[in-house]
Amino acid sequence: MNTVIRDRRSLILGLVGASFLLATLGLAEARAGFPSENVELLSHIPLSGFPSNPSTGNDCWGYVSPSGREYALMGVRNAMVVVEITDPSNPVIVQSISHTNTLWGDVKVYGEYCYVVNDLGGGGMDVIDLSNVDSGVVTLVQRFTGGGLSTSHDVTIDTDSGFAYLCGSNLNGGRIVAIDLADPENPVIVGQISSAQGAGVHDAQAVTYTEGPFAGREIIFAAVGGTGLDIYDVTDKSDMFRMSRTTYPNLSFAHQCWASEDRQYVYLDDELDGVNETVIFDISDLNDPVVAGAYNSGVAATDHNLYVHDGFIYEAEYTAGLRIFDASDPLAPVQVGWFDTFPANDNSGFDGAWSVYPFFPSGIVIISDMSGGLFVVKPGTPPLAFEYPGGLPDMIDPSGDSFLVQIIEQEGGELDPDSPTLHYDDGGGFVDAPMTPLGKNLFEAVFGSTICAETVSFYVSAATIDQEILTDPPDAPASTFSALSAIDVLITVEDDMEADTGWVVGAPGDDATTGIWTRVDPNGTPAQPEDDHTPDPGTMCFVTGQGEPGGGIGENDVDNGHTTLTSPVLDLADEGGAIISYWRWYSNDQGNSPNSDIFVIDISNDNGSTWTNVETIGPAGPETAGGWFQHSFSVSDFVEPTSEVRLRFIAADEGDGSIVEAAVDDFAVSTVVCDEPVFGDLDGDGHVGASDLLILLVSWGPCADCDDCPADLNGDCSVGAADLLLLLVNWG
């Protein structure tokens, strides 16, 4: 293991955790991890903020009470959560209605009731009374299991006719099932599509035509898995029939669809076609639809649920978040805004934004994200924007520090000049510090003293003259920027895995039969990295198994148990402020049983006799779909630093045969410096004396490396009389 001392910040990106990393990777652009264009973030509730402590999120819908108050209905793995968003900047969780665990859930509204189905957990369809939600009361009326109903992938409701339709239920091979909601608390199954008419409906939209040749008829537009677009006439529940079936180029799995408001076109997304493309169908003749075109958002992300409202298409595109398209030309929608709920990447895959709901009268839009929770956004340009002429700080002086904030007035917004404020917290709660005006809407944000070696969370705020308050990050204080309170950071241990430095593969109890940890130049698969993390010329890292180049995804992944990788012994006895950081990769979201396993990182301060958990990734949620991520932590937050500190990484596939891959690279130990260095203290003992004089004399003459010549006190790339004089002046 390479041991070095550095006087600057090559590892500073990871020293204070994930929020710090996001901030330093692109502060002004990423806004604490949520890039956007023409969409303003008003509030955010992460999964950890929901009372049921869910591991994933799924569908969302909206409800407006008779009083006009607006509510988000957020589906999570084990509940449906009602959140009031009447004040969209201050969401309030009203109530959580628990149900059995399910990765896939769906919720729709009819009148003052909502109906929740699931595709895995069983228990039928939840009937939930929202009539007293303004008083904080939400009631589970019943779990409807009529006809033997247990699970359903989706439910759609025609609010004009008062009928709900199950899609992909356990009742009849996925065919449409009609449910009468005339008594909304007591649904009644009244019909279903026959096997000859169609099966495998994944999602659908039900509407009643009020004009034109189909006036008075109730129609369903259905996305049917590997088949395409089906259109059904469901007017007569005893004789529902398919009117047409239309396929399209590159069909893989027709996932969901929605019609334009004039019902001339249907927009359909294919979840497995491998391209970011939404197909457009001309449905002016329901008996003979034709493929009329396609559009995309220009990224690789997988398109998911979409809805059409007021001439715009609002589409959840998993890792690319919300995408908004102007459909003024229905055959050539143009992207006009986006909000990225999953900043790690825009790759294809199944994490990030699941669904959106754009139908609130206020114009607010909600987004449900599988790993990010609930986002409340507003399309359009915010009235104020924040820029940082000198950048945002990643390290601040414990005795006090500052940075510049430029506030931009946009779209008619006018700044209240007394409102700009810095809010910062070093562990004792937020301190509000009014900014100092410097003219032309430029302000100085000033930190008071902070506790050295602590992570300082901070954000800025300002208000318009009509008292609309904006923050940066936009959802602060739920998200914040972060900086380390320190004079400097010294890297004392650095291991890029390019050489064998004493890491140990295997531990008592390891039982994995494949995917055993190995240090290699990795051969990539859809689950394992192709490259290590270290910048060129680095090539090596530890991965769980190595298959042949071009091999299959499961050729040498972890199977049938767990495998352990343990670090060399670290002597941290004299490093009370030691921080350990590493880059890791973890993928468990593919295979027959995705998101079932965990990746565990533990620390020991007694050479492995006892262990304390540092972090556990998975089974679902952020950072479980591959990609290099850095994690760092203060050793003293978990164990007392000793001379026998070790870390271990445990990857496992303990259940059904899922695809599990993990990797580790670029391990480092750093120490926070809290005191200003003494000028002339060449041996680091805190004062200038005889040993420093000896170091200077030994170094006498031209410096071999001008950037690494500590005895060159006057900076002229040579050690001589001037440096000796400076040392003597600071003697003592």
Side-chain angles (χ1 to χ4, degrees):
M1 186 172 293
N2 302 321
T3 302
V4 298
I5 301 289
R6 255 184 221 169
D7 60 359
R8 288 321 304 159
R9 310 176 183 177
S10 64
L11 264 196
I12 194 66
L13 287 180
L15 290 177
V16 290
S19 61
F20 186 92
L21 175 62
L22 290 171
T24 54
L25 284 178
L27 294 165
E29 297 79 15
R31 296 289 179 253
F34 303 122
S36 65
E37 183 175 290
N38 295 329
V39 179
E40 178 184 357
L41 176 61
L42 301 179
S43 58
H44 172 215
I45 302 178
L47 287 180
S48 60
F50 288 100
S52 59
N53 192 31
S55 59
T56 57
N58 46 61
D59 193 39
C60 66
W61 204 250
Y63 173 69
V64 181
S65 72
S67 68
R69 291 161 69 172
E70 296 182 344
Y71 297 87
L73 308 180
M74 175 70 190
V76 296
R77 197 178 189 99
N78 55 4
M80 192 282 294
V81 186
V82 180
V83 183
E84 181 166 7
I85 57 169
T86 306
D87 179 356
S89 297
N90 295 285
V92 177
I93 293 176
V94 178
Q95 199 160 334
S96 177
I97 303 295
S98 298
H99 54 61
T100 53
N101 277 342
T102 178
L103 179 63
W104 295 288
D106 194 73
V107 56
K108 295 295 188 296
V109 167
Y110 177 64
E112 295 183 330
Y113 295 82
C114 73
Y115 301 84
V116 181
V117 298
N118 73 83
D119 200 2
L120 289 177
M125 178 175 71
D126 286 2
V127 180
I128 298 172
D129 184 354
L130 300 172
S131 60
N132 292 314
V133 67
D134 286 353
S135 300
V137 177
V138 178
T139 305
L140 174 63
V141 177
Q142 68 155 308
R143 292 203 154 101
F144 174 70
T145 56
L149 175 64
S150 175
T151 62
S152 182
H153 185 76
D154 210 329
V155 61
T156 185
I157 297 176
D158 181 354
T159 56
D160 292 325
S161 72
F163 286 89
Y165 299 89
L166 300 178
C167 306
S169 74
N170 68 296
L171 296 181
N172 60 3
R175 299 190 297 276
I176 292 289
V177 176
I179 299 178
D180 190 347
L181 301 179
D183 180 352
E185 293 192 357
N186 295 286
V188 178
I189 294 178
V190 293
Q192 56 185 283
I193 295 286
S194 71
S195 59
Q197 295 295 314
V201 174
H202 190 75
D203 204 341
Q205 179 191 13
V207 301
T208 297
Y209 275 71
T210 57
E211 58 184 30
F214 304 104
R217 294 168 66 179
E218 190 174 5
I219 304 297
I220 283 181
F221 309 109
V224 188
T227 300
L229 173 68
D230 279 5
I231 298 180
Y232 299 100
D233 186 325
V234 296
T235 310
D236 181 351
K237 305 305 180 286
S238 66
D239 184 25
M240 301 186 290
F241 61 93
R242 188 178 72 232
M243 302 175 69
S244 60
R245 169 167 287 174
T246 311
T247 187
Y248 53 90
N250 201 34
L251 168 67
S252 182
F253 191 87
H255 170 262
Q256 185 260 358
C257 62
W258 205 259
S260 61
E261 290 156 307
D262 62 5
R263 294 177 188 161
Q264 295 298 299
Y265 301 94
V266 159
Y267 301 96
L268 181 146
D269 58 81
D270 189 307
E271 193 175 21
L272 301 178
D273 59 3
V275 295
N276 179 279
E277 184 172 84
T278 301
V279 183
I280 307 171
F281 296 84
D282 183 335
I283 58 164
S284 53
D285 182 353
L286 297 179
N287 294 296
D288 188 24
V290 295
V291 176
Y295 68 88
N296 65 76
S297 58
V299 296
T302 302
D303 35 325
H304 205 226
N305 290 358
L306 66 89
Y307 300 98
V308 182
H309 182 57
D310 283 346
F312 291 88
I313 301 169
Y314 298 80
E315 189 159 347
E317 296 193 356
Y318 276 128
T319 59
L322 165 68
R323 300 284 162 153
I324 303 175
F325 301 86
D326 184 343
S328 298
D329 181 347
L331 296 178
V334 177
Q335 183 171 268
V336 293
W338 51 271
F339 183 90
D340 193 350
T341 60
F342 189 88
N345 60 66
D346 290 336
N347 299 337
S348 62
F350 309 110
D351 201 351
W354 177 291
S355 196
V356 301
Y357 182 82
F359 303 111
F360 288 110
S362 65
I364 298 304
V365 175
I366 59 173
I367 311 166
S368 57
D369 187 280
M370 292 186 69
S371 54
L374 175 66
F375 294 82
V376 183
V377 301
K378 178 181 179 182
T381 304
L384 301 175
F386 301 86
E387 294 183 355
Y388 307 94
L392 280 161
D394 53 28
M395 185 183 297
I396 60 176
D397 190 317
S399 64
D401 217 325
S402 67
F403 63 99
L404 297 177
V405 182
Q406 182 74 58
I407 300 178
I408 311 299
E409 296 173 332
Q410 305 185 130
E411 297 291 321
E414 185 175 349
L415 173 68
D416 176 353
D418 297 324
S419 66
T421 303
L422 169 67
H423 313 262
Y424 64 94
D425 177 14
D426 63 355
F430 277 101
V431 174
D432 299 333
M435 296 186 203
T436 303
L438 303 177
K440 297 183 179 180
N441 287 353
L442 180 66
F443 295 83
E444 183 182 24
V446 180
F447 295 96
S449 60
T450 53
I451 300 173
C452 187
E454 292 292 328
T455 300
V456 180
S457 302
F458 68 96
Y459 67 97
V460 296
S461 69
T464 61
I465 56 172
D466 56 1
Q467 296 308 297
E468 179 180 352
I469 299 174
L470 294 98
T471 64
D472 197 22
D475 61 337
S479 294
T480 61
F481 300 121
S482 297
L484 181 66
S485 177
I487 297 298
D488 213 334
V489 174
L490 304 179
I491 303 173
T492 56
V493 175
E494 187 174 40
D495 189 353
D496 57 12
M497 311 295 184
E498 297 302 310
D500 181 359
T501 56
W503 289 75
V504 177
V505 172
D510 276 9
D511 53 358
T513 55
T514 64
I516 310 303
W517 286 103
T518 182
R519 188 177 64 86
V520 293
D521 178 354
N523 295 325
T525 73
Q528 179 171 289
E530 167 64 24
D531 298 304
D532 75 334
H533 175 266
T534 312
D536 289 340
T539 60
M540 307 290 281
C541 64
F542 276 97
V543 297
T544 48
Q546 175 83 310
E548 295 297 322
I553 185 172
E555 182 175 336
N556 202 349
D557 73 312
V558 182
D559 280 322
N560 304 314
H562 62 272
T563 178
T564 304
L565 173 69
T566 306
S567 76
V569 176
L570 304 169
D571 184 356
L572 305 182
D574 297 326
E575 298 188 35
I579 295 172
I580 290 177
S581 68
Y582 48 83
W583 287 83
R584 54 167 169 74
W585 174 292
Y586 184 56
S587 176
N588 77 339
D589 67 333
Q590 302 181 68
N592 295 329
S593 182
N595 296 117
S596 299
D597 297 286
I598 57 176
F599 186 27
V600 175
I601 295 92
D602 297 328
I603 191 170
S604 171
N605 67 350
D606 53 14
N607 197 25
S609 295
T610 60
W611 294 94
T612 300
N613 182 246
V614 171
E615 61 168 343
T616 299
I617 303 97
E623 303 175 9
T624 59
W628 285 108
F629 295 94
Q630 190 181 43
H631 182 73
S632 62
F633 63 95
S634 174
V635 172
S636 61
D637 286 345
F638 296 91
V639 296
E640 179 183 353
T642 68
S643 61
E644 296 184 308
V645 172
R646 303 186 82 172
L647 234 64
R648 71 179 181 186
F649 299 81
I650 305 173
D653 186 356
E654 303 282 10
D656 296 333
S658 55
I659 302 297
V660 174
E661 295 280 17
V664 177
D665 201 5
D666 292 334
F667 180 90
V669 179
S670 306
T671 300
V672 174
V673 177
C674 289
D675 298 317
E676 288 283 1
V678 176
F679 188 76
D681 176 19
L682 303 181
D683 62 359
D685 65 357
H687 67 276
V688 179
S691 61
D692 304 297
L693 176 60
L694 179 59
I695 292 172
L696 186 143
L697 295 175
V698 170
S699 305
W700 199 272
C703 296
D705 182 351
C706 296
D707 294 325
D708 186 20
C709 190
D712 176 22
L713 300 180
N714 69 343
D716 65 356
C717 200
S718 178
V719 179
D723 303 297
L724 175 60
L725 178 60
L726 289 171
L727 185 143
L728 294 175
V729 168
N730 289 275
W731 194 273

